[in-house]
Short mmCIF file of all heavy atoms in Angstrom, two decimals:
data_model
loop_
_atom_site.label_atom_id
_atom_site.label_comp_id
_atom_site.label_asym_id
_atom_site.label_seq_id
_atom_site.Cartn_x
_atom_site.Cartn_y
_atom_site.Cartn_z
N ILE A 103 -74.89 46.48 83.00
CA ILE A 103 -76.04 45.73 82.50
C ILE A 103 -75.72 44.26 82.77
O ILE A 103 -74.73 43.73 82.27
CB ILE A 103 -76.27 45.97 81.00
CG1 ILE A 103 -76.54 47.46 80.76
CG2 ILE A 103 -77.42 45.12 80.49
CD1 ILE A 103 -76.59 47.84 79.28
N ILE A 104 -76.54 43.62 83.58
CA ILE A 104 -76.26 42.26 84.04
C ILE A 104 -77.30 41.30 83.48
O ILE A 104 -78.50 41.47 83.70
CB ILE A 104 -76.24 42.19 85.57
CG1 ILE A 104 -75.20 43.15 86.15
CG2 ILE A 104 -75.98 40.77 86.05
CD1 ILE A 104 -75.18 43.22 87.66
N SER A 105 -76.85 40.28 82.77
CA SER A 105 -77.74 39.28 82.21
C SER A 105 -77.93 38.16 83.22
O SER A 105 -76.99 37.74 83.88
CB SER A 105 -77.15 38.70 80.91
OG SER A 105 -78.08 38.72 79.88
N SER A 106 -79.17 37.64 83.31
CA SER A 106 -79.50 36.72 84.38
C SER A 106 -79.88 35.32 83.92
O SER A 106 -80.54 34.58 84.65
CB SER A 106 -80.64 37.30 85.22
OG SER A 106 -81.82 37.42 84.43
N GLY A 107 -79.46 34.93 82.71
CA GLY A 107 -79.77 33.59 82.24
C GLY A 107 -79.26 32.53 83.19
O GLY A 107 -78.13 32.62 83.69
N MET A 108 -80.08 31.53 83.46
CA MET A 108 -79.77 30.38 84.31
C MET A 108 -79.80 30.68 85.80
O MET A 108 -79.76 29.78 86.63
CB MET A 108 -78.39 29.77 83.98
CG MET A 108 -78.18 29.40 82.53
SD MET A 108 -76.49 28.88 82.19
CE MET A 108 -75.60 30.46 82.27
N ALA A 109 -79.84 31.96 86.18
CA ALA A 109 -79.62 32.34 87.58
C ALA A 109 -80.87 32.18 88.43
O ALA A 109 -81.99 32.42 87.99
CB ALA A 109 -79.14 33.78 87.66
N THR A 110 -80.64 31.81 89.69
CA THR A 110 -81.70 31.83 90.69
C THR A 110 -81.84 33.26 91.23
O THR A 110 -80.95 34.10 91.03
CB THR A 110 -81.37 30.90 91.85
OG1 THR A 110 -80.21 31.40 92.54
CG2 THR A 110 -81.10 29.47 91.37
N LEU A 111 -82.93 33.51 91.94
CA LEU A 111 -83.09 34.83 92.55
C LEU A 111 -81.96 35.12 93.54
O LEU A 111 -81.49 36.24 93.65
CB LEU A 111 -84.45 34.95 93.24
CG LEU A 111 -85.66 35.17 92.33
CD1 LEU A 111 -86.94 35.12 93.15
CD2 LEU A 111 -85.57 36.48 91.57
N GLY A 112 -81.53 34.09 94.25
CA GLY A 112 -80.43 34.27 95.20
C GLY A 112 -79.14 34.65 94.50
O GLY A 112 -78.39 35.52 94.99
N GLU A 113 -78.85 34.02 93.36
CA GLU A 113 -77.64 34.35 92.60
C GLU A 113 -77.72 35.76 92.03
O GLU A 113 -76.73 36.49 92.01
CB GLU A 113 -77.43 33.32 91.50
CG GLU A 113 -77.02 31.95 92.03
CD GLU A 113 -77.06 30.86 90.97
OE1 GLU A 113 -77.82 31.01 89.97
OE2 GLU A 113 -76.37 29.85 91.14
N ILE A 114 -78.91 36.15 91.56
CA ILE A 114 -79.08 37.51 91.05
C ILE A 114 -78.86 38.52 92.17
O ILE A 114 -78.17 39.54 91.98
CB ILE A 114 -80.48 37.69 90.43
CG1 ILE A 114 -80.64 36.80 89.19
CG2 ILE A 114 -80.73 39.15 90.06
CD1 ILE A 114 -82.07 36.72 88.67
N ASP A 115 -79.43 38.26 93.32
CA ASP A 115 -79.27 39.16 94.45
C ASP A 115 -77.80 39.29 94.83
O ASP A 115 -77.32 40.40 95.12
CB ASP A 115 -80.08 38.65 95.64
CG ASP A 115 -80.01 39.59 96.82
OD1 ASP A 115 -80.49 40.74 96.70
OD2 ASP A 115 -79.46 39.20 97.86
N ALA A 116 -77.06 38.18 94.83
CA ALA A 116 -75.64 38.23 95.18
C ALA A 116 -74.86 39.06 94.18
O ALA A 116 -73.95 39.83 94.55
CB ALA A 116 -75.08 36.81 95.25
N ALA A 117 -75.20 38.94 92.88
CA ALA A 117 -74.50 39.71 91.84
C ALA A 117 -74.78 41.20 91.98
O ALA A 117 -73.86 42.03 91.88
CB ALA A 117 -74.92 39.22 90.46
N ILE A 118 -76.04 41.57 92.21
CA ILE A 118 -76.38 42.98 92.36
C ILE A 118 -75.73 43.55 93.62
O ILE A 118 -75.21 44.68 93.62
CB ILE A 118 -77.91 43.15 92.39
CG1 ILE A 118 -78.49 42.82 91.00
CG2 ILE A 118 -78.30 44.56 92.80
CD1 ILE A 118 -80.00 42.80 90.95
N THR A 119 -75.74 42.77 94.68
CA THR A 119 -75.10 43.22 95.91
C THR A 119 -73.60 43.44 95.70
O THR A 119 -73.04 44.46 96.15
CB THR A 119 -75.33 42.20 97.03
OG1 THR A 119 -76.73 42.07 97.28
CG2 THR A 119 -74.62 42.61 98.31
N ALA A 120 -72.95 42.51 94.99
CA ALA A 120 -71.51 42.66 94.71
C ALA A 120 -71.25 43.91 93.88
O ALA A 120 -70.27 44.64 94.12
CB ALA A 120 -70.99 41.42 93.98
N ALA A 121 -72.11 44.18 92.90
CA ALA A 121 -71.94 45.37 92.06
C ALA A 121 -72.06 46.64 92.91
O ALA A 121 -71.25 47.56 92.78
CB ALA A 121 -72.96 45.36 90.94
N ARG A 122 -73.07 46.68 93.75
CA ARG A 122 -73.26 47.87 94.58
C ARG A 122 -72.13 48.05 95.59
O ARG A 122 -71.64 49.16 95.78
CB ARG A 122 -74.62 47.79 95.28
CG ARG A 122 -75.78 48.02 94.32
CD ARG A 122 -77.11 47.80 94.99
NE ARG A 122 -78.22 48.23 94.10
CZ ARG A 122 -79.46 47.79 94.21
NH1 ARG A 122 -79.77 46.91 95.15
NH2 ARG A 122 -80.40 48.22 93.37
N GLN A 123 -71.73 46.97 96.20
CA GLN A 123 -70.63 47.07 97.16
C GLN A 123 -69.32 47.46 96.47
O GLN A 123 -68.46 48.10 97.08
CB GLN A 123 -70.47 45.75 97.90
CG GLN A 123 -71.61 45.45 98.86
CD GLN A 123 -71.48 44.09 99.52
OE1 GLN A 123 -70.71 43.23 99.08
NE2 GLN A 123 -72.25 43.87 100.59
N GLY A 124 -69.20 47.09 95.19
CA GLY A 124 -67.99 47.43 94.44
C GLY A 124 -67.96 48.85 93.94
O GLY A 124 -66.93 49.30 93.42
N GLY A 125 -69.09 49.57 94.04
CA GLY A 125 -69.09 50.98 93.65
C GLY A 125 -70.03 51.33 92.52
O GLY A 125 -70.06 52.48 92.08
N CYS A 126 -70.83 50.37 92.02
CA CYS A 126 -71.77 50.64 90.93
C CYS A 126 -73.16 50.87 91.50
O CYS A 126 -73.69 50.02 92.21
CB CYS A 126 -71.81 49.48 89.94
SG CYS A 126 -72.98 49.71 88.60
N GLN A 127 -73.75 51.99 91.18
CA GLN A 127 -75.09 52.31 91.66
C GLN A 127 -76.13 52.34 90.55
O GLN A 127 -77.33 52.44 90.83
CB GLN A 127 -75.07 53.66 92.39
CG GLN A 127 -74.15 53.68 93.60
CD GLN A 127 -74.46 52.57 94.60
OE1 GLN A 127 -75.61 52.33 94.93
NE2 GLN A 127 -73.43 51.89 95.07
N GLU A 128 -75.70 52.27 89.30
CA GLU A 128 -76.63 52.30 88.17
C GLU A 128 -76.58 50.95 87.47
O GLU A 128 -75.61 50.63 86.77
CB GLU A 128 -76.30 53.44 87.22
CG GLU A 128 -76.53 54.81 87.84
CD GLU A 128 -76.63 55.89 86.79
OE1 GLU A 128 -75.66 56.03 86.01
OE2 GLU A 128 -77.65 56.60 86.75
N ILE A 129 -77.63 50.16 87.64
CA ILE A 129 -77.65 48.78 87.17
C ILE A 129 -78.94 48.52 86.40
O ILE A 129 -80.02 48.93 86.82
CB ILE A 129 -77.55 47.79 88.34
CG1 ILE A 129 -76.27 48.03 89.15
CG2 ILE A 129 -77.59 46.35 87.85
CD1 ILE A 129 -76.23 47.27 90.47
N VAL A 130 -78.81 47.84 85.28
CA VAL A 130 -79.96 47.28 84.55
C VAL A 130 -79.81 45.77 84.61
O VAL A 130 -78.72 45.23 84.37
CB VAL A 130 -80.01 47.75 83.10
CG1 VAL A 130 -81.07 46.99 82.32
CG2 VAL A 130 -80.29 49.24 83.02
N LEU A 131 -80.89 45.08 84.91
CA LEU A 131 -80.89 43.62 84.94
C LEU A 131 -81.66 43.10 83.73
O LEU A 131 -82.77 43.57 83.46
CB LEU A 131 -81.54 43.14 86.23
CG LEU A 131 -81.64 41.62 86.44
CD1 LEU A 131 -80.24 41.01 86.58
CD2 LEU A 131 -82.48 41.32 87.68
N LEU A 132 -81.07 42.15 83.01
CA LEU A 132 -81.73 41.59 81.84
C LEU A 132 -82.26 40.19 82.13
O LEU A 132 -81.51 39.30 82.53
CB LEU A 132 -80.75 41.50 80.66
CG LEU A 132 -80.09 42.79 80.19
CD1 LEU A 132 -79.28 42.52 78.92
CD2 LEU A 132 -81.11 43.89 79.95
N ALA A 133 -83.57 40.01 81.94
CA ALA A 133 -84.10 38.65 81.90
C ALA A 133 -83.48 37.95 80.70
O ALA A 133 -83.18 38.59 79.68
CB ALA A 133 -85.62 38.69 81.77
N CYS A 134 -83.27 36.67 80.79
CA CYS A 134 -82.57 35.98 79.71
C CYS A 134 -82.79 34.48 79.82
O CYS A 134 -82.86 33.93 80.91
CB CYS A 134 -81.06 36.29 79.80
SG CYS A 134 -80.04 35.44 78.55
N THR A 135 -82.92 33.84 78.67
CA THR A 135 -82.87 32.39 78.58
C THR A 135 -81.56 32.06 77.88
O THR A 135 -81.40 32.34 76.69
CB THR A 135 -84.06 31.82 77.80
OG1 THR A 135 -85.28 32.23 78.42
CG2 THR A 135 -84.00 30.30 77.76
N ALA A 136 -80.61 31.50 78.63
CA ALA A 136 -79.27 31.28 78.10
C ALA A 136 -79.21 29.99 77.29
O ALA A 136 -78.52 29.03 77.63
CB ALA A 136 -78.25 31.25 79.23
N ALA A 137 -79.99 29.96 76.22
CA ALA A 137 -79.96 28.87 75.25
C ALA A 137 -79.76 29.51 73.89
O ALA A 137 -80.25 30.61 73.64
CB ALA A 137 -81.26 28.06 75.29
N TYR A 138 -79.08 28.80 73.00
CA TYR A 138 -78.63 29.42 71.74
C TYR A 138 -78.89 28.46 70.58
O TYR A 138 -78.07 27.60 70.31
CB TYR A 138 -77.15 29.78 71.82
CG TYR A 138 -76.80 30.56 73.06
CD1 TYR A 138 -76.43 29.91 74.24
CD2 TYR A 138 -76.87 31.94 73.08
CE1 TYR A 138 -76.13 30.64 75.39
CE2 TYR A 138 -76.57 32.67 74.22
CZ TYR A 138 -76.21 32.00 75.37
OH TYR A 138 -75.92 32.71 76.51
N PRO A 139 -80.03 28.59 69.89
CA PRO A 139 -81.10 29.58 70.10
C PRO A 139 -82.01 29.19 71.26
O PRO A 139 -81.97 28.05 71.73
CB PRO A 139 -81.85 29.55 68.78
CG PRO A 139 -81.68 28.14 68.29
CD PRO A 139 -80.28 27.74 68.71
N ALA A 140 -82.83 30.14 71.70
CA ALA A 140 -83.81 29.88 72.75
C ALA A 140 -85.19 29.74 72.14
O ALA A 140 -85.51 30.38 71.14
CB ALA A 140 -83.81 31.03 73.76
N SER A 141 -86.00 28.90 72.74
CA SER A 141 -87.38 28.74 72.29
C SER A 141 -88.28 29.76 72.99
O SER A 141 -88.11 30.00 74.20
CB SER A 141 -87.87 27.33 72.61
OG SER A 141 -89.27 27.24 72.45
N PRO A 142 -89.25 30.33 72.30
CA PRO A 142 -90.21 31.20 72.98
C PRO A 142 -90.90 30.49 74.15
O PRO A 142 -91.29 31.14 75.12
CB PRO A 142 -91.21 31.56 71.87
CG PRO A 142 -90.41 31.46 70.61
CD PRO A 142 -89.47 30.31 70.83
N ASP A 143 -91.03 29.16 74.07
CA ASP A 143 -91.65 28.42 75.17
C ASP A 143 -90.88 28.57 76.47
O ASP A 143 -91.44 28.38 77.56
CB ASP A 143 -91.74 26.93 74.82
CG ASP A 143 -92.66 26.66 73.65
OD1 ASP A 143 -93.58 27.48 73.42
OD2 ASP A 143 -92.47 25.64 72.96
N ASP A 144 -89.58 28.89 76.38
CA ASP A 144 -88.74 29.02 77.57
C ASP A 144 -88.49 30.47 77.97
O ASP A 144 -87.68 30.74 78.87
CB ASP A 144 -87.39 28.33 77.33
CG ASP A 144 -87.53 26.82 77.16
OD1 ASP A 144 -88.46 26.25 77.76
OD2 ASP A 144 -86.72 26.23 76.42
N ALA A 145 -89.16 31.42 77.31
CA ALA A 145 -88.85 32.83 77.55
C ALA A 145 -89.27 33.30 78.94
O ALA A 145 -88.64 34.19 79.52
CB ALA A 145 -89.50 33.71 76.49
N ARG A 146 -90.36 32.77 79.48
CA ARG A 146 -90.82 33.11 80.84
C ARG A 146 -90.85 34.63 81.06
O ARG A 146 -90.27 35.16 81.99
CB ARG A 146 -89.94 32.43 81.88
CG ARG A 146 -89.97 30.91 81.78
CD ARG A 146 -89.06 30.26 82.81
NE ARG A 146 -87.66 30.55 82.53
CZ ARG A 146 -86.65 30.08 83.25
NH1 ARG A 146 -86.87 29.31 84.29
NH2 ARG A 146 -85.40 30.38 82.95
N LEU A 147 -91.55 35.32 80.16
CA LEU A 147 -91.50 36.78 80.17
C LEU A 147 -92.14 37.43 81.39
O LEU A 147 -91.87 38.60 81.68
CB LEU A 147 -92.14 37.33 78.89
CG LEU A 147 -91.33 37.13 77.61
CD1 LEU A 147 -92.04 37.80 76.45
CD2 LEU A 147 -89.92 37.68 77.75
N LEU A 148 -92.97 36.69 82.11
CA LEU A 148 -93.52 37.29 83.33
C LEU A 148 -92.44 37.50 84.38
O LEU A 148 -92.68 38.14 85.41
CB LEU A 148 -94.65 36.42 83.88
CG LEU A 148 -95.95 36.46 83.05
CD1 LEU A 148 -96.99 35.52 83.64
CD2 LEU A 148 -96.50 37.87 82.97
#
């Protein structure tokens, strides 16, 4: 399960690619706003 706070699409793609190349085929990606706490205004749920 990979959290994607702060990440660009390119960084997410690189992480998923690394996971698959390393031997993991079952992946869940989590949308995330890496702020503590986070504001709903920054959730970008789409």
Side-chain angles (χ1 to χ4, degrees):
I103 299 172
I104 301 176
S105 230
S106 64
M108 306 173 287
T110 65
L111 283 174
E113 290 169 336
I114 295 169
D115 183 64
I118 292 173
T119 299
R122 287 174 171 158
Q123 291 176 344
C126 178
Q127 299 305 315
E128 293 198 303
I129 301 169
V130 171
L131 180 65
L132 302 186
C134 177
T135 302
Y138 309 90
S141 168
D143 295 334
D144 294 329
R146 299 179 293 182
L147 288 184
L148 288 178

